[in-house]
Amino acid sequence: MLEIKCPYCGKRSQNEFSYGGDATIKRPQLGEEISTEDWDNFVYYRDNPRGKHSELWHHVSGCRQWFKVSRDTATHEIFDTCKMNEDFNV
Amino acid sequence: MSNSFRTTNSTGLINKDKKINFTFNGTIYHGYEGDTLASALIANGVHLVGRSFKYHRPRGFLGVGVEEPNAMVQLHDGNKSEPNIIATEVELVEGLKAKSQNCWPSVQFDIGEINNVLNRFFPAGFYYKTFMWPKSFWMKIYEPFIRKAAGMGKAPLLPDPDRYEHNYEHCDVLVVGSGPSGLASALAAAKNGARVILAEDKPNFGGSLLTDEVTIGNMSGKEWASDTISQLKSMPNVILKKRSQVFGYYDHNMTVMIERVSDHIENPSKYTPRQRLHYIRAGEVIVSTGSIERPISFGNNDRPGIVLASAAKEYMKVYETLVGKKPIIFTNNDTAYSTALEFIKNDIEPIIVDTRDSSNGELVKEVQQKGISIKFNSGIADTKGHLKINSAIIGKLDSSKESFILEETVECDCICMSGGWTPTVHLSSQAGNKLKFNDDIDAFVPDKKRQKETAIGAANGSFTLNQSLAEGFQVGFDLSNKFTDQNNPTNSPNSNEPSYEKHEKLWCMPLPSGKKPKRFIDFQNDVAVSDVELAIREGFRSIEHVKRYTTLGMAGDQGKTSNLNGLQYVSKIEKKIVPEVGHTTFRPPYTPVTIGAIVGREVGNHYLPTRKSPIHTWHEENNAVFVAAGLWQRPRYYPRGSEDMNTAVNREAANVRKNVGICDVTTLGKIDIKGPDAPEFLNRVYTNAWLKLPVGKARYGVMLREDGMVFDDGTTSRLSENHFHMTTTTAQAANVLSHLEYYLQVVWPDLDVNVLSTTEQWSGIAVAGPKSRDLLSKLFPDVDMSNEGLPFMGLVDSSIDGIKARIYRISFSGELAYEVNVESNYGLYMWKKIMEVGQSFDIQPYGTEALSTLRIEMGHVAGAELDGRTIPFDVGLNSMVSQKKDFIGKRSLSKDAFTESDRQTIVGLVPLDKKTKIPEGSHIIEDNSAVAPIPKLGHVSSSCWSVEYNNPFSIAIIKDGKNKIGKNLYAVSPLKDISIPVEVVSSHYVDPEGSRVRS
Ligand SMILES: [Zn+2]
């Protein structure tokens, strides 16, 4: 079980959180003309890197904030966590 | 034969004043307080405890602790019965019952032993090839045979009566194992102010100090251990846990430990759990798990009475028990000589067989000084004795040590063997440590760590006491310094132990001349040298493949005694050095763990809270039958007298259509939405338009996921300019809130909107049916309930008896209907009030079943249709989709597959006989007599008995549904062998114009 540092609450066990996928995905603008390929890339296609991955987590059983986690998908090492409007330090 | 194998000394840890009676295979024996089941049986001369896994060979004890591969027994009976328990780990309690497993009819005479004779059918990989052909034999012959012949103990069929608990702990430093290095590190870390947990698997702290003749400072090793424990006990920052095995090392320094709390207590309090599972999140973990002695492979090295030398020593020193009175010590190193000396202390002269040419170790000299001659350059070739060893064939090794030159038969009643020592690296390996091979000790030791884990002492390959203590004190101090600022190191005391000469790299004896006895490597999995040879001959090269093909090092044992010997043998055949062969992965749990402990208190209702509406007590008093909706308990129906469910449901639903019904809808999700951008936010979340919804009006809304699938639906109303009240389905309430938070926090943080769950703040009561207006007019005389005063989708605030109520004119049943919302605490009051006034209108409560019937008849979609695979078009919600604005998931709706005209869409189905109910989940096909595979047109999502038309009615989602209306198809349920001819009709079966809700 991972130990994740919520930027608002501090370190908590993984079972308080839910995973929210790739944090680098940007939703297309509303009303934007967009090709099917670009839309599919947004909806379905995700990189599956071995190593550093920046991802979203939701502190569901806590402060209910979404935030960013930089995690190694192979070792589970967490390099940094930050609020949505911040950038990772490492 | 009672306890005739006890020693006469009393220097051990058993209490000979307290006798304990127990039963093994139906015979009553006694042992003493402090005994294990193993030591007590050995003291009674019992070595035969089980039959081996594949060949059903008679097996006895090999070890004295967790390393024991053979002595697995079935404990207790009835609902306390427990299989596969290692007898060396069971503390004796009065009345304990144990029996052998994997044998029939008895351990002395076992029919499965024929496998041993037919062992050509059970070579390595026998699962994969012997039983593969002919195929038809598998189910009838091979499988039942394997099930009966192989297999371990029997799982109990009754519920476990014991209680198990879970505990979460945090500490700075967790020390696993309380031998010299573990004690030293715990003491150093604790004295430096760190929060320390020290875990010891055995009932006594001290590890090897309990059996080794050493001195530390001016004390014996044993005294130093007990002195250190007293010091630790007195410190408030230390938790000491014995009978506690750390069996798993997971991510982020989460370890899991099983504590045997009351297994050793005769009559534990009913408030004491049997076992406790500790989840320990440690800042640093010190792995001081010691080492395990390796066996030697030689002919028939698995007979009862053949034990590890260290085990024989511990039985003598700790349990005052002799494994035999005519021992042979067989070794490739010096440590086994301490076992020889222990026998000599008990006036027993062992025969010593040493593979080496010579040794000048202190213990060897001491043995020689006692006048015992040593057979150097010799080995054991074979053994005899069916149910217990009675003799060994000892051979002189030739110069290459590849064969024997002289062989002699020697009588004995036990062999104590030592092939050297293997550091217990399981936890380090589980933690992700890349092990390295240490040539000096011929074993793997931890190297590159991935987590905050440090191995010390024997687990780190440091086999001398001096080194172990030095590492312990140093590492304990260094690691604790990360957590405290006391900088207070503890010095390592002087210590003294005998010097040892090096072991010989020889773990497998040559075969005796003219014979091919089995030489076992892995006792638990019955893997012999010949199996490894076969696997390699058949082309298995990777050690992981050899492991799986031969089953070497698998299962509960995890290769504790066999791993290194297996690797050594593979490397010998392959002519590679061991590090090139590599090692297999060690997996948790290190020792078997009861399922009960893993489950803990998550039994029955799984420790989940039950959510009850404020009106729950009324439902109970009025004979409601409840159904679980997530955590909620909802009334399913309210039977009257002897009514069955169908009768009650039909009555309740019909009464809504005819008079008026009342339904508790408190469980619907409710979300309060506030902020200047709230209308814009809803406009993006829902498929329809929201900007122009007037204050005081409600609107039905549908929300999609980005992939275009319908996510949820509900009614949302505008309470003021920037304040909305959203309702969701009961099932999706939590997910919708997360969804909204995601868009507000991640995607559109610029929107100034707040969302908050208010599900539990409001109690909701649906009042539905043609008489609902009259009822509510009477209850709220001040409110204009007319169609103009409170039109469909309108809302109004009112009150009775000073209780504020919000009345929505919304309908799920398709009838003229309202929903009265009050603060939760007044839910019951309002419900009773409505019931009271409703008497003159023939009001009846209805449950979730009638609620379903009413919505199905109307063709209203719910969870069964919104199953994550349907877009609005599929379920008749196209009119809800705005063409003018963008919203979540809209772009997906214009994708090719989503615009095909013959998509599966919603329809109604009526059986042609108007009698047969169509099971939900049935497949819809066109031709009943076609040959399989028959193309499937779709499936039945919801079924009910239509109270309007008095015949069955179902909603289905079928290919090109709109164009199938009027056609006859079949609903088939192959599992139930049902095929029902049906007519396709509109899904809006009742009041398709929707005139009733607007009346
Ligand atoms: Zn938080």
Side-chain angles (χ1 to χ4, degrees):
Chain A
M1 190 169 16
L2 308 187
E3 187 177 49
I4 300 169
K5 186 182 167 195
C6 168
Y8 302 90
C9 307
K11 282 185 177 176
R12 296 289 190 277
S13 269
Q14 184 185 346
N15 49 7
E16 290 188 14
F17 300 89
S18 66
Y19 177 70
D22 190 334
T24 62
I25 296 296
K26 288 271 170 289
R27 192 193 188 281
Q29 294 292 308
L30 281 171
E32 180 185 341
E33 284 283 322
I34 182 168
S35 69
T36 300
E37 192 186 344
D38 286 348
W39 180 257
D40 284 349
N41 277 334
F42 158 66
V43 176
Y44 298 104
Y45 290 89
R46 296 291 181 270
D47 289 335
N48 185 19
R50 186 183 197 279
K52 212 177 220 188
H53 186 236
S54 95
E55 56 202 24
L56 296 171
W57 285 78
H58 189 202
H59 199 180
V60 172
S61 301
C63 64
R64 296 209 59 96
Q65 293 299 304
W66 287 86
F67 61 97
K68 293 190 281 189
V69 175
S70 172
R71 180 181 65 101
D72 189 311
T73 57
T75 65
H76 288 309
E77 182 180 354
I78 290 178
F79 306 106
D80 199 8
T81 63
C82 66
K83 297 176 181 175
M84 284 312 305
N85 60 359
E86 295 173 345
D87 291 318
F88 297 124
N89 288 316
V90 285
Chain B
M1 217 167 59
S2 175
N3 283 265
S4 56
F5 284 83
R6 291 288 178 189
T7 64
T8 48
N9 63 43
S10 54
T11 52
L13 296 169
I14 60 166
N15 174 13
K16 280 181 179 155
D17 292 333
K18 183 145 188 244
K19 239 187 206 185
I20 294 177
N21 298 297
F22 69 102
T23 311
F24 182 67
N25 286 339
T27 305
I28 297 170
Y29 299 94
H30 80 261
Y32 299 108
E33 188 178 58
D35 260 327
T36 62
L37 176 59
S39 65
L41 282 171
I42 294 172
N44 282 283
V46 178
H47 278 264
L48 176 63
V49 281
R51 289 281 175 160
S52 73
F53 184 57
K54 255 166 38 185
Y55 306 119
H56 289 241
R57 290 169 68 102
R59 287 280 167 81
F61 303 97
L62 179 75
V64 68
V66 293
E67 75 283 4
E68 175 58 48
N70 291 330
M72 290 199 295
V73 296
Q74 183 107 20
L75 279 193
H76 312 296
D77 39 32
N79 59 4
K80 291 218 171 210
S81 179
E82 202 178 4
N84 304 334
I85 300 300
I86 304 171
T88 51
E89 293 274 286
V90 177
E91 287 178 69
L92 212 55
V93 281
E94 184 65 32
L96 182 83
K97 273 187 201 161
K99 58 176 183 268
S100 299
Q101 50 191 37
N102 200 26
C103 57
W104 184 82
S106 79
V107 71
Q108 278 84 11
F109 176 74
D110 173 32
I111 208 110
E113 198 177 354
I114 198 162
N115 295 359
N116 194 22
V117 181
L118 301 176
N119 70 45
R120 63 193 177 91
F121 292 123
F122 291 87
F126 79 106
Y127 290 110
Y128 305 108
K129 52 190 179 192
T130 309
F131 299 115
M132 294 313 281
W133 186 90
K135 208 176 166 188
S136 59
F137 272 36
W138 179 253
M139 289 294 278
K140 284 180 196 145
I141 296 169
Y142 295 150
E143 208 233 348
F145 174 75
I146 291 177
R147 275 194 190 285
K148 199 165 157 43
M152 305 279 187
K154 285 199 171 56
L157 296 173
L158 298 164
D160 189 337
D162 288 314
R163 212 158 60 99
Y164 302 83
E165 285 180 355
H166 285 183
N167 178 43
Y168 290 81
E169 282 292 355
H170 293 260
C171 66
D172 298 328
V173 180
L174 167 67
V175 180
V176 186
S178 71
S181 63
L183 287 175
S185 63
L187 187 64
K191 278 190 167 176
N192 197 30
R195 292 178 306 148
V196 174
I197 297 176
L198 174 63
E200 168 58 49
D201 165 49
K202 300 217 168 188
N204 302 294
F205 293 104
S208 61
L209 294 174
L210 299 176
T211 52
D212 285 355
E213 300 280 330
V214 297
T215 57
I216 301 173
N218 51 9
M219 289 179 262
S220 73
K222 204 169 149 185
E223 286 162 353
W224 183 81
S226 90
D227 178 70
T228 306
I229 288 296
S230 328
Q231 287 187 58
L232 290 168
K233 252 183 200 157
S234 68
M235 300 167 88
N237 52 332
V238 178
I239 296 173
L240 294 174
K241 286 284 180 192
K242 50 188 180 187
R243 300 186 173 92
S244 296
Q245 179 75 258
V246 177
F247 64 80
Y249 199 131
Y250 302 91
D251 293 300
H252 293 187
N253 262 32
M254 167 68 86
T255 61
V256 184
M257 175 174 89
I258 176 92
E259 181 187 8
R260 303 185 301 275
V261 183
S262 62
D263 282 343
H264 63 289
I265 299 170
E266 190 184 338
N267 288 309
S269 146
K270 67 173 183 173
Y271 303 108
T272 309
R274 183 184 161 216
Q275 296 176 344
R276 200 178 275 131
L277 202 69
H278 299 264
Y279 292 89
I280 305 173
R281 182 88 70 182
E284 293 279 348
V285 176
I286 293 178
V287 180
S288 48
T289 46
S291 54
I292 291 175
E293 197 166 34
R294 292 178 227 175
I296 299 176
S297 298
F298 54 89
N300 291 306
N301 61 338
D302 64 329
R303 294 192 193 282
I306 302 178
V307 301
L308 293 172
S310 56
K313 184 167 85 170
E314 190 165 331
Y315 281 120
M316 286 187 274
K317 295 204 77 153
V318 173
Y319 301 105
E320 300 167 19
T321 291
L322 296 163
V323 295
K325 294 175 180 173
K326 263 199 223 165
I328 296 176
I329 311 280
F330 179 31
T331 184
N332 68 1
N333 67 85
D334 275 5
T335 59
Y337 285 82
S338 63
T339 306
L341 286 166
E342 201 57 34
F343 273 114
I344 295 166
K345 253 190 234 167
N346 285 291
D347 300 323
I348 292 171
E349 276 199 13
I351 293 165
I352 301 180
V353 181
D354 194 324
T355 64
R356 297 174 297 178
D357 299 335
S358 67
S359 169
N360 289 313
E362 277 178 47
L363 295 177
V364 179
K365 282 185 186 156
E366 199 181 332
V367 166
Q368 283 169 325
Q369 279 156 16
K370 309 243 179 212
I372 312 277
S373 73
I374 299 164
K375 293 176 193 290
F376 280 114
N377 200 17
S378 296
I380 295 180
D382 202 353
T383 66
K384 286 182 183 155
H386 181 45
L387 299 177
K388 170 92 189 283
I389 184 166
N390 59 32
S391 59
I393 295 161
I394 298 174
K396 195 90 184 159
L397 288 158
D398 73 357
S399 57
S400 66
K401 307 212 174 184
E402 297 284 335
S403 64
F404 291 112
I405 41 180
L406 273 171
E407 293 176 11
E408 56 170 331
T409 302
V410 176
E411 272 187 36
C412 66
D413 65 355
C414 68
I415 294 177
C416 308
M417 59 182 164
S418 176
W421 296 81
T422 306
T424 306
V425 296
H426 294 64
L427 282 182
S428 298
S429 177
Q430 286 180 24
N433 194 307
K434 290 263 175 283
L435 309 177
K436 71 173 176 212
F437 193 71
N438 179 333
D439 244 351
D440 288 339
I441 60 169
D442 279 300
F444 285 95
V445 291
D447 185 23
K448 287 201 188 68
K449 62 179 86 171
R450 210 189 73 202
Q451 299 205 43
K452 290 172 179 165
E453 149 266 332
T454 311
I456 57 170
N460 191 34
S462 306
F463 284 161
T464 69
L465 180 61
N466 250 321
Q467 237 179 324
S468 284
L469 290 171
E471 276 176 23
F473 280 105
Q474 189 63 47
V475 167
F477 168 69
D478 287 347
L479 295 180
S480 59
N481 238 11
K482 293 185 179 181
F483 306 99
T484 74
D485 46 18
Q486 299 186 8
N487 206 30
N488 176 26
T490 307
N491 290 327
S492 182
N494 292 327
S495 66
N496 245 309
E497 69 173 332
S499 74
Y500 296 99
E501 287 226 329
K502 205 169 152 41
H503 68 279
E504 181 163 51
K505 293 172 188 283
L506 190 58
W507 294 272
C508 180
M509 288 299 110
L511 287 166
S513 51
K515 283 191 192 157
K516 282 187 177 175
K518 281 201 175 294
R519 295 168 293 174
F520 284 94
I521 297 176
D522 182 332
F523 295 86
Q524 187 171 91
N525 295 295
D526 250 2
V527 180
V529 168
S530 52
D531 295 312
V532 175
E533 285 170 344
L534 180 70
I536 290 171
R537 213 162 54 231
E538 294 192 352
F540 292 89
R541 288 293 176 271
S542 155
I543 190 65
E544 292 282 1
H545 292 164
V546 173
K547 168 179 168 177
R548 276 153 190 81
Y549 197 56
T550 60
T551 67
L552 174 75
M554 309 233 293
D557 187 53
Q558 286 293 298
K560 291 183 187 74
T561 52
S562 62
N563 198 287
L564 248 296
N565 286 1
L567 292 180
Q568 297 283 8
Y569 203 72
V570 171
S571 81
K572 188 180 163 196
I573 304 176
E574 291 270 272
K575 297 191 171 53
K576 279 183 188 170
I577 52 171
V578 173
E580 278 174 10
V581 174
H583 62 88
T584 55
T585 313
F586 298 96
R587 300 192 189 283
Y590 173 62
T591 49
V593 179
T594 45
I595 300 285
I598 293 168
V599 171
R601 302 299 298 278
E602 302 233 359
V603 291
N605 286 333
H606 285 223
Y607 233 31
L608 292 169
T610 303
R611 297 177 85 178
K612 291 176 183 171
S613 110
I615 307 161
H616 191 85
T617 49
W618 189 94
H619 303 318
E620 281 177 333
E621 286 159 13
N622 287 273
N623 207 28
V625 174
F626 290 93
V627 63
L631 298 175
W632 289 101
Q633 287 290 309
R634 299 191 70 180
R636 193 173 184 193
Y637 58 100
Y638 303 81
R640 287 180 177 176
S642 59
E643 271 182 343
D644 63 10
M645 183 170 93
N646 287 340
T647 317
V649 169
N650 289 349
R651 170 182 50 73
E652 290 169 15
N655 192 60
V656 172
R657 296 262 183 256
K658 185 170 166 234
N659 299 307
V660 59
I662 179 171
C663 182
D664 186 353
V665 293
T666 299
T667 60
L668 282 184
K670 306 171 201 80
I671 299 171
D672 201 64
I673 301 175
K674 267 186 185 166
D677 294 321
E680 171 62 23
F681 182 52
L682 290 176
N683 217 39
R684 297 179 185 186
V685 165
Y686 281 128
T687 59
N688 50 345
W690 285 80
L691 297 177
K692 289 176 185 152
L693 178 71
V695 172
K697 284 282 188 185
R699 186 166 282 176
Y700 175 66
V702 172
M703 50 178 95
L704 310 186
R705 309 187 309 216
E706 293 286 17
D707 65 2
M709 302 298 168
V710 178
F711 174 40
D712 197 45
D713 67 341
T715 304
T716 292
S717 46
R718 192 168 201 166
L719 305 177
S720 71
E721 194 59 29
N722 296 330
H723 187 189
F724 291 80
H725 175 79
M726 175 186 277
T727 66
T728 73
T729 59
T730 302
Q732 293 284 27
N735 296 337
V736 170
L737 185 64
S738 288
H739 178 79
L740 300 182
E741 286 168 338
Y742 171 82
Y743 281 94
L744 287 173
Q745 295 173 27
V746 178
V747 183
W748 301 310
D750 52 308
L751 290 184
D752 191 358
V753 180
N754 267 305
V755 292
L756 183 72
S757 168
T758 53
T759 300
E760 298 190 341
Q761 277 62 44
W762 292 98
S763 187
I765 301 165
V767 183
K771 294 182 182 170
S772 59
R773 175 176 288 135
D774 295 343
L775 190 164
L776 289 185
S777 300
K778 197 169 168 189
L779 186 62
F780 297 99
D782 300 340
V783 178
D784 177 4
M785 290 281 176
S786 71
N787 211 11
E788 295 73 37
L790 183 54
F792 182 54
M793 286 297 184
L795 68 96
V796 63
D797 284 337
S798 182
S799 67
I800 39 171
D801 302 339
I803 298 164
K804 285 182 192 161
R806 182 166 289 147
I807 305 156
Y808 299 84
R809 187 166 161 203
I810 52 179
S811 176
F812 191 54
S813 58
E815 295 297 325
L816 169 67
Y818 301 84
E819 198 184 303
V820 182
N821 275 231
V822 292
E823 276 180 45
S824 283
N825 289 349
Y826 299 114
L828 181 59
Y829 179 84
M830 181 58 74
W831 176 279
K832 285 181 172 169
K833 205 81 195 164
I834 297 170
M835 281 302 296
E836 185 187 311
V837 177
Q839 289 313 310
S840 51
F841 301 95
D842 298 313
I843 195 168
Q844 286 181 23
Y846 62 103
T848 54
E849 288 294 329
L851 188 79
S852 287
T853 296
L854 295 165
R855 74 93 188 165
I856 293 169
E857 274 192 323
M858 284 286 166
H860 289 174
V861 292
E865 288 75 37
L866 310 181
D867 63 356
R869 296 179 296 179
T870 48
I871 60 171
F873 173 79
D874 304 343
V875 287
L877 293 173
N878 237 14
S879 63
M880 294 295 299
V881 177
S882 166
Q883 301 303 317
K884 292 181 188 145
K885 55 140 197 173
D886 198 0
F887 52 84
I888 292 168
K890 184 179 192 184
R891 177 62 183 81
S892 289
L893 298 181
S894 56
K895 291 183 56 167
D896 290 349
F898 290 2
T899 53
E900 279 170 7
S901 60
D902 64 345
R903 283 183 65 83
Q904 293 189 0
T905 51
I906 187 168
V907 294
L909 298 178
V910 177
L912 295 187
D913 67 1
K914 305 254 172 158
K915 275 188 236 152
T916 314
K917 270 186 98 170
I918 308 166
E920 290 171 352
S922 296
H923 293 208
I924 305 301
I925 58 169
E926 197 153 351
D927 183 359
N928 188 21
S929 56
V931 180
I934 307 168
K936 177 189 163 186
L937 299 176
H939 72 281
V940 175
S941 55
S942 304
S943 289
C944 73
W945 185 272
S946 166
V947 292
E948 182 89 6
Y949 297 109
N950 205 25
N951 56 250
F953 174 73
S954 294
I955 294 177
I957 297 175
I958 63 171
K959 195 174 170 75
D960 200 14
K962 290 282 167 297
N963 291 321
K964 295 250 171 22
I965 289 174
K967 290 195 171 145
N968 288 356
L969 301 172
Y970 294 90
V972 296
S973 180
L975 279 178
K976 295 175 179 160
D977 204 17
I978 289 173
S979 172
I980 305 164
V982 295
E983 184 192 352
V984 182
V985 298
S986 162
S987 58
H988 299 290
Y989 195 42
V990 173
D991 188 24
E993 296 79 30
S995 57
R996 294 182 192 178
V997 294
R998 292 183 175 79
S999 61

